[in-house]
Amino acid sequence: MLIAVLALQGAFVEHEAMLTALGAKTFEIRQKRDLSVAFDGLVIPGGESTVQGKLMRELGLFDPIREKINEGLPVFGTCAGLILLANRVCNDDRKHLATMDIEVVRNAFGRQLGSFHTEGDFTGVGRIPMTFIRAPYIKSLWGDAEVLARVDDKIVAARQGSQLVTAFHPELDADGSVHEFFLNMVRSRSVSTAL
Ligand code: GLN
């Protein structure tokens, strides 16, 4: 299984390490020609959504990536990645890929506005560590998007079809279960398309 990791900015190396430890192969998407490789899933890392959105557009990655996700490519967005996938961003005029039926609030979640660490229940996975860094939260979701985790009554993880998002950074903790959850989404999609 080959997982592409968007490597324009932010915490992409940590995702690669986690996915490799779980037995997946990874490669980095840095420019348009990297998209010609056949891959099974895509990770959009945390970092700064405005910067990643701008670079994706400038490098000609934006439309082809959006198209692949709309065609069903499994995607996992963490933190800034979640913002990039959101159909609505409450406190920002910009929206980006807008492939997922979630409304998010940027830089708004936390007992302090910086970072914090907690534990929470993640549907289908169990109790896991959660590290938040200037995190967004999901204010509402619609269509067939479903909640996977909440912290302090705020939605911090969701799924819609082949799209998975977390407001926290599972790649920064030792627990690989959210990445394993994503790899299972990729596996089940590969099975269904092969049938
Ligand atoms: N605050 C960042 C943004 O709005 C996200 C932070 C993160 O990815 N850790 O893009």
Side-chain angles (χ1 to χ4, degrees), residues 46-50 78-80 83 106-107 133-136 169:
E48 194 53 47
S49 54
T50 324
T78 53
C79 203
I83 297 165
R106 282 184 70 196
N107 297 332
I133 303 170
R134 296 185 67 236
H169 288 264

Side-chain angles (χ1 to χ4, degrees), residues 1-3 5 13-26 43 76 125 128 164 170-187:
M1 192 187 326
L2 184 61
I3 307 295
V5 180
V13 173
E14 292 84 351
H15 277 290
E16 290 163 14
M18 182 70 91
L19 291 163
T20 307
L22 293 171
K25 290 197 172 63
T26 65
V43 171
F76 177 19
V125 169
I128 54 163
L164 172 69
E171 77 284 5
L172 299 183
D173 283 300
D175 187 317
S177 46
V178 177
H179 286 78
E180 191 61 52
F181 184 92
F182 175 61
L183 292 177
N184 283 333
M185 285 170 56
V186 176
R187 280 183 202 109

